[in-house]
Amino acid sequence: MRAVIASGTGGPEVLSVGELPDPTPGPGEVLVAVVATAVNRADTLQRQGFYPPPPGASEVIGLECSGTVAALGEGVEGWAVGDEVCALLAGGGYAAYVVVPVGQLMPVPHGVSLVEAAALPEVACTVWSNVFMVAGLQPGDRFLVHGGSGGIGTMAIQLASATSAKVFATAGSAAKLAACAELGADVTINYREEDYVDVVTADGGADVILDNMGASYLGRNVEALATEGRLVIIGMQGGTKGELDINALLRKRGAVLATSLRARPADDKAAICASVVDNVWPLVADGTVRPIVHTTMPLEDVAAAHALMESSDHIGKIVLTL
Amino acid sequence: MRAVIASGTGGPEVLSVGELPDPTPGPGEVLVAVVATAVNRADTLQRQGFYPPPPGASEVIGLECSGTVAALGEGVEGWAVGDEVCALLAGGGYAAYVVVPVGQLMPVPHGVSLVEAAALPEVACTVWSNVFMVAGLQPGDRFLVHGGSGGIGTMAIQLASATSAKVFATAGSAAKLAACAELGADVTINYREEDYVDVVTADGGADVILDNMGASYLGRNVEALATEGRLVIIGMQGGTKGELDINALLRKRGAVLATSLRARPADDKAAICASVVDNVWPLVADGTVRPIVHTTMPLEDVAAAHALMESSDHIGKIVLTL
């Protein structure tokens, strides 16, 4: 099959399309003929050698895909060859075929094209599991998301807005802030010009913060929390070790959570996917939540797609078609 | 009324018994004639000037008491003058009379003397709210408590053991460790001689840690967490600012929570007290959980009681009688 192969670890140029053996679905697994996949920041870390696949996962990069069911492994029920699907993957998405544990297979939401559907699994599962299942965002809560114009950010703004939370989003340019506002952010903050802590605390602080920066934002995120606020860290673009002001956290009865979707056991991922299908897909089907696709490129342009992701010039997702 | 008066901030010697005006219960409040109160570490901080009472609370030290209902404020139902009670207080316990919001009044559990009942409210409410209501300790979980022989520790060991958790307790002497074991700790760890991280991680890590040290233990507590473990910090005897290894926390999908009972709004305290009466009092009544009283001293010995608390030579609670 066609698949993205890495000649080593390093810059985007190590990636190119080559040939690998077709994978075979085991018991409880489904073989998907991939129509599209999408680029995640974790993919760029894996390419650099910083984020190895979990045990048992494909060595091929790619955490999500859309496509059609090509074969069913032993004991799989509820799906048929030819079904259009999208899927959350532990790896292997940058390829013509990928094997998926059945619990991570989801239908394509109504009103979304098969190609666009590749842009949904990672952001929908990440935002839904962290902001809603773990941090319990409620209507009327104040919600702050950093990197509001990225893939995660654009989904987080839409889902939080659909929940009637008050949404604060940070980004680094006027165009990105405009995109955040258009998606439903009530307050947009250019982090190059304004201190988000001032903006959020002037309004009472954030009940939930979704953070992709880690160490460099830890102190200010704790400052920006409301009483009983929850800081959920899902990325460490600003480093891994930061000073925690426990007294500040204690005065707020706050919580700092750090999570990762990829390392979760299959049962957890299946529960998250099921909850996403129940809670997020209807919002996609009725147009409340849209896949935000910055650009769609052929798989052969994978190196350029990674370079674009690392430039942070995109708004929303970068999709690759097979 | 007789009450402990502080001549200033400083050592135990600033405390003595004097006279203050009787307080009057407002709407929704009850006046309690105090029979006994108990010493908490927070009391010693307040005496030193580090932990001022929350707005509206009595300036008199004392976070819990037992006694009899002496008068009912407007609109109070369900209690009668003469009822034996114990209570969680925002302050004012070191006095002959104290005013209590009715939601913080609890019956004396069956089988416990009125004097012993003064040793229960703070530890029962703190442990129940943090370990069970917030951190959700479940049967079979591994639970680590630091300072296992203190007031909080002795209650935490008993409640976690009653829940069929595997209980790890740290303390600093053989006598204290023996007390922890007698109360139900499965594994006792002398922190002067052993690294608790090694002991707990050898068994899979702690699902819940109840910590009173704060900064000095932060890094090692995160190391000691199991996957999806929760570290609940309720004291900062080891400092307020510590380095958080976000990467370590993220790999475990862990959470760091910091909380305080005293600053919670009255509604929260009422909900906690109600849950304690429902869940903890039956365990006290059937003898599963006992108030652990190190010593009972007259209120006039308040300075000696504070000195004893600060020596950390006690096991369990230090009770003061009126």
Side-chain angles (χ1 to χ4, degrees):
Chain A
M1 66 173 181
R2 290 165 63 227
V4 170
I5 294 172
S7 61
T9 57
E13 69 282 357
V14 303
L15 301 180
S16 64
V17 174
E19 287 287 324
L20 284 177
D22 285 8
T24 310
E29 294 179 334
V30 170
L31 184 71
V32 172
V34 176
V35 166
T37 182
V39 181
N40 287 281
R41 200 162 291 271
D43 300 351
T44 67
L45 297 176
Q46 181 171 342
R47 190 201 71 220
Q48 295 168 76
F50 297 140
Y51 193 56
S58 167
E59 292 293 319
V60 175
I61 297 175
L63 298 174
E64 58 192 331
C65 74
S66 58
T68 55
V69 172
L72 303 177
E74 191 186 319
V76 169
E77 294 181 359
W79 299 94
V81 171
D83 282 351
E84 294 192 342
V85 294
C86 57
L88 182 71
L89 308 172
Y94 291 13
Y97 291 94
V98 66
V99 156
V100 187
V102 66
Q104 291 161 231
L105 216 58
M106 296 176 281
V108 175
H110 292 290
V112 170
S113 74
L114 194 51
V115 168
E116 286 177 313
L120 288 172
E122 262 290 328
V123 296
C125 290
T126 297
V127 172
W128 184 255
S129 62
N130 286 304
V131 177
F132 295 88
M133 296 172 76
V134 171
L137 189 74
Q138 297 292 320
D141 279 358
R142 290 176 295 273
F143 171 65
L144 168 64
V145 59
H146 292 300
S149 62
I152 295 287
T154 51
M155 177 56 71
I157 291 169
Q158 293 184 86
L159 278 178
S161 178
T163 306
S164 302
K166 181 164 184 179
V167 179
F168 298 75
T170 68
S173 75
K176 289 179 176 178
L177 294 171
C180 294
E182 192 270 326
L183 290 168
D186 299 285
V187 181
T188 60
I189 304 160
N190 187 328
Y191 64 78
R192 301 180 202 277
E193 296 169 1
E194 277 185 289
D195 183 354
Y196 70 86
V197 176
D198 293 341
V199 177
V200 175
T201 53
D203 208 10
D207 298 296
V208 177
I209 300 177
L210 187 64
D211 173 69
N212 58 347
M213 295 303 292
S216 63
Y217 274 31
L218 178 61
R220 291 200 292 151
N221 278 337
V222 169
E223 273 188 78
L225 285 178
T227 300
E228 302 197 350
R230 289 84 74 198
L231 165 62
V232 185
I233 304 174
I234 60 170
M236 297 177 289
Q237 294 178 45
T240 63
K241 292 184 180 178
E243 185 180 84
L244 180 64
D245 183 341
I246 298 168
N247 193 34
L249 194 65
L250 190 142
R251 277 188 277 105
K252 295 175 176 185
R253 303 190 293 282
V256 178
L257 306 100
T259 76
S260 142
L261 186 56
R262 192 183 196 185
R264 285 185 181 273
D267 284 358
D268 275 21
K269 288 181 181 172
I272 290 167
C273 288
S275 188
V276 162
V277 170
D278 286 348
N279 293 285
V280 180
W281 271 203
L283 297 172
V284 177
D286 75 12
T288 305
V289 170
R290 293 175 290 130
I292 305 300
V293 177
H294 178 79
T295 189
T296 301
M297 306 163 81
L299 190 67
E300 280 66 21
D301 291 347
V302 60
H306 271 225
L308 175 57
M309 168 65 74
E310 290 174 321
S311 75
S312 292
D313 284 340
H314 58 294
I315 291 176
K317 296 285 291 186
I318 301 164
V319 170
L320 295 169
T321 52
L322 267 291
Chain B
M1 67 172 179
R2 288 164 64 226
V4 169
I5 294 171
S7 60
T9 57
E13 69 282 357
V14 303
L15 302 180
S16 63
V17 174
E19 286 287 325
L20 284 178
D22 285 9
T24 310
E29 294 179 334
V30 170
L31 184 71
V32 172
V34 176
V35 166
T37 182
V39 181
N40 287 281
R41 200 162 290 272
D43 301 349
T44 67
L45 297 176
Q46 181 171 341
R47 190 201 71 219
Q48 294 169 76
F50 298 140
Y51 194 55
S58 167
E59 293 292 320
V60 175
I61 297 175
L63 297 173
E64 58 192 330
C65 73
S66 59
T68 56
V69 172
L72 303 178
E74 193 185 316
V76 170
E77 294 181 0
W79 298 95
V81 171
D83 282 352
E84 294 193 341
V85 295
C86 56
L88 182 70
L89 309 173
Y94 291 11
Y97 291 94
V98 65
V99 156
V100 187
V102 66
Q104 291 161 232
L105 215 58
M106 296 177 280
V108 174
H110 292 290
V112 170
S113 74
L114 193 51
V115 167
E116 285 177 314
L120 288 171
E122 263 291 326
V123 296
C125 291
T126 297
V127 172
W128 184 254
S129 63
N130 286 304
V131 176
F132 294 87
M133 296 171 75
V134 171
L137 188 75
Q138 297 292 320
D141 280 358
R142 290 175 295 274
F143 172 66
L144 168 64
V145 59
H146 292 299
S149 62
I152 295 288
T154 52
M155 176 57 70
I157 291 169
Q158 293 184 86
L159 278 177
S161 178
T163 306
S164 301
K166 181 164 184 179
V167 179
F168 298 75
T170 68
S173 75
K176 289 179 176 179
L177 294 171
C180 294
E182 192 270 327
L183 290 168
D186 299 285
V187 181
T188 60
I189 304 160
N190 188 329
Y191 63 78
R192 300 180 202 275
E193 296 169 0
E194 276 185 290
D195 184 352
Y196 69 85
V197 176
D198 293 342
V199 177
V200 175
T201 54
D203 207 10
D207 299 295
V208 176
I209 300 178
L210 186 64
D211 172 68
N212 58 346
M213 294 304 290
S216 63
Y217 274 31
L218 179 61
R220 290 201 290 151
N221 278 337
V222 169
E223 272 188 78
L225 284 178
T227 299
E228 302 198 349
R230 290 84 72 198
L231 165 62
V232 185
I233 303 175
I234 59 169
M236 296 176 289
Q237 294 177 45
T240 64
K241 292 183 179 178
E243 185 179 83
L244 180 65
D245 183 341
I246 298 168
N247 193 36
L249 194 66
L250 190 143
R251 277 188 277 106
K252 295 176 176 184
R253 302 190 295 282
V256 178
L257 306 100
T259 76
S260 142
L261 186 56
R262 191 182 196 184
R264 284 186 182 273
D267 283 359
D268 276 20
K269 288 181 181 172
I272 291 167
C273 288
S275 187
V276 162
V277 171
D278 285 349
N279 293 286
V280 180
W281 271 202
L283 297 171
V284 178
D286 75 11
T288 306
V289 170
R290 293 176 290 129
I292 305 300
V293 176
H294 178 79
T295 188
T296 301
M297 307 162 81
L299 189 69
E300 280 66 21
D301 291 347
V302 60
H306 271 225
L308 175 58
M309 168 65 74
E310 290 174 321
S311 76
S312 292
D313 284 339
H314 59 293
I315 291 175
K317 297 285 291 187
I318 301 164
V319 169
L320 295 168
T321 51
L322 267 292

